Amino acid sequence: AVVSTQSTGGYSSSAEYYSEISLTNCLKDIDVYTVCINADDDPCFPGNMYPLELIQYNRFTSLISTRAGGHYGFAGLGWPFKTLTFSDQLVVEITKMIRSQLPDSR
């Protein structure tokens, strides 16, 4: 996939491609709550590629990292037939948690 994207996107190498699309380019500017979910064994974006210092620096960003899950591991059992994936459920729970911590806006 990288070779195909690299060549059709006009990049000279995989390193150039990943440098251009890296989260490092935008993490410092995020100003809405953002949760990054990643598996350390993701063959396309392993955990050691995450710019942890930038995620820790920005109060609006956080990282949930698991040891396993691969690239599509968060789709959930039965995907694509189930409409609610593990990632969807996780986002709902995180949103509930954040909302419970906000001052009552009524």
Side-chain angles (χ1 to χ4, degrees):
V2 174
V3 174
S4 174
T5 304
Q6 170 190 319
S7 60
T8 59
Y11 300 100
S12 61
S13 67
S14 295
E16 180 186 6
Y17 169 73
Y18 280 115
S19 175
E20 283 290 316
I21 66 158
S22 173
L23 287 173
T24 306
N25 299 327
C26 64
L27 272 174
K28 67 181 180 354
D29 299 322
I30 292 175
D31 61 358
V32 295
Y33 292 111
T34 301
V35 177
C36 304
I37 306 170
N38 192 64
D40 289 340
D41 68 346
D42 183 333
C44 297
F45 203 83
N48 64 356
M49 289 182 67
Y50 259 89
L52 294 177
E53 66 286 344
L54 290 175
I55 290 172
Q56 293 169 346
Y57 167 78
N58 187 332
R59 68 184 182 103
F60 291 107
T61 59
S62 61
L63 171 65
I64 296 174
S65 183
T66 62
R67 279 185 268 149
H71 194 60
Y72 293 107
F74 301 114
L77 296 174
W79 181 81
F81 305 106
K82 283 187 175 180
T83 57
L84 193 62
T85 66
F86 171 79
S87 296
D88 295 334
Q89 293 169 354
L90 184 60
V91 168
V92 167
E93 291 304 314
I94 290 169
T95 302
K96 286 180 187 176
M97 183 183 66
I98 291 170
R99 290 189 70 190
S100 74
Q101 301 300 312
L102 295 174
D104 192 1
S105 59
R106 287 183 243 166

